[in-house]
């Protein structure tokens, strides 16, 4: 079997986790539907779905890391992993397109729902909106800085500077946690609630899902930091880190659009909180 690996691809052995992940996703979705309709047993179904998804994430990703360390991620495998990550980020882009579409629809055509929002946007019920040049601007600067630090970490890795890799990741993670903390503070002191009108619903859905993506990106970077301390990643093979960096830059770009469209343009002319 000496020549068993004389090819540029890697054949995965049979694994239960793709099936378990699909079953967990269906269970989670079913639990969410039951929860939204307040039907009996929704917490049990939802909990089983979440537990299954978490178990799948840990086990499946652990297998991928082991394959990478075993040298199974050949150039062809790495190429297709990149294709997969690109398609995943593209699907996330379209996810946010939906929220931006809703925001522009409410803002540009308020007369179509005049009986709900009074023919104006922000609606008459909104007495004050977030001041975009206070905490939102601070969070913008924080995310821009985090994009710089994760790029520093990437370049350090490419040039074999593992100390710079660790420092860059530490700074990026801390900036991500700071962003999340500031956004939580902003939500707590927001002058308008979720769900009472189109402005509040669209605002919290767009910014809230972005905040969720920041949390996911932070977790990805924490895993990369742990792997960096374990001696993983080489200048030529580090797709796990590269994927996390791509995701983080995607989160940065989405926030810039949110800041301009939702905070600055969306609240233009309204009273600031």
């Amino acid at each position: 079997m000496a020549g068993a690996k004389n090819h540029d691809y890697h054949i995965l052995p049979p694994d239960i986790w793709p099936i378990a992940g699909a079953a967990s996703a269906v269970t989670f979705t079913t639990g969410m539907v039951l929860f939204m309709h307040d039907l009996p047993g929704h917490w049990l179904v939802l909990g089983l779905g979440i537990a299954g998804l978490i178990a799948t994430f840990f086990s499946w990703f652990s297998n991928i890391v082991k394959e990478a360390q075993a040298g199974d991620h050949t150039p062809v495998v790495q190429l297709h992993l990149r294709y997969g990550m690109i398609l995943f980020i593209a699907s996330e882009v379209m996810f946010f397109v939906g929220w931006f579409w809703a925001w522009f629809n409410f803002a540009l055509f308020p007369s179509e729902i005049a009986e709900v929002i009074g023919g104006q946007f922000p609606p008459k019920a909104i007495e004050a909106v977030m001041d975009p040049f206070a905490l939102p601007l601070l969070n913008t600067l924080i995310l821009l800085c985090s994009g710089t630090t994760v790029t520093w970490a990437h370049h350090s890795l490419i040039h074999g500077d593992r100390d710079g890799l660790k420092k860059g990741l530490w700074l990026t993670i801390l900036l991500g946690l700071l962003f999340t903390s500031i956004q939580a503070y902003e939500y707590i002191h927001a002058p308008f609630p979720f769900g009472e009108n189109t402005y509040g619903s669209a605002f919290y859905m767009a910014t809230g899902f972005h905040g969720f993506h920041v949390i996911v990106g932070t977790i990805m970077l924490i895993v990369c930091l742990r792997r960096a301390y374990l001696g993983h990643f080489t200048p030529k093979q580090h797709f796990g880190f590269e994927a996390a960096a791509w995701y983080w830059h995607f989160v940065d770009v989405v926030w810039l659009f949110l800041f301009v469209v939702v905070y600055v343009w969306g609240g233009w002319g309204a009273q600031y909180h």
Side-chain angles (χ1 to χ4, degrees), residues 3 5 43 72 99 107 136 203 239:
K5 285 193 176 182
W43 286 118
D72 293 327
W99 302 124
F203 175 88
F239 175 72

Side-chain angles (χ1 to χ4, degrees), residues 2 45 47-48 52 71 82 86 123 129 140 145 171 175 224 233 238 240-241 253 264 266:
V45 178
L48 289 174
R82 285 178 169 82
I86 290 170
V129 300
T140 301
C145 288
L171 287 174
L175 289 170
C224 289
F233 305 133
H238 52 268
F241 171 79
V253 172
V264 179

Side-chain angles (χ1 to χ4, degrees), residues 54-99:
I54 292 175
T56 301
F57 292 155
F58 272 96
S59 300
W60 201 349
F61 292 165
S62 175
N63 289 343
I64 294 173
V65 171
K66 291 175 183 177
E67 291 166 6
Q69 294 306 112
D72 293 327
H73 287 180
T74 64
V76 170
V77 174
Q78 292 184 54
L79 177 64
H80 288 86
L81 287 172
R82 285 178 169 82
Y83 286 159
M85 192 64 190
I86 290 170
L87 290 174
F88 171 67
I89 292 177
S91 71
E92 294 287 276
V93 169
M94 297 311 298
F95 179 82
F96 280 100
V97 165
W99 302 124

Side-chain angles (χ1 to χ4, degrees), residues 90-173:
S91 71
E92 294 287 276
V93 169
M94 297 311 298
F95 179 82
F96 280 100
V97 165
W99 302 124
F100 282 113
W101 191 318
W103 184 268
F104 279 115
N105 187 57
F106 295 147
L108 295 175
F109 308 104
S111 60
E112 295 184 3
I113 48 176
E115 71 280 1
V116 179
I117 65 174
Q120 68 181 48
F121 196 84
K124 291 182 178 179
I126 297 292
E127 297 180 357
V129 300
M130 302 288 190
D131 183 356
F133 303 109
L135 292 180
L137 179 59
L138 176 60
N139 260 350
T140 301
L141 297 176
I142 289 172
L143 274 191
L144 289 176
C145 288
S146 72
T148 302
T149 55
V150 77
T151 301
W152 171 35
H154 191 193
H155 280 274
S156 297
L157 174 57
I158 292 173
H159 292 91
D161 179 10
R162 301 195 67 83
D163 186 58
L165 166 65
K166 295 172 185 175
K167 289 179 180 178
L169 280 172
W170 268 113
L171 287 174
T172 308
I173 291 167

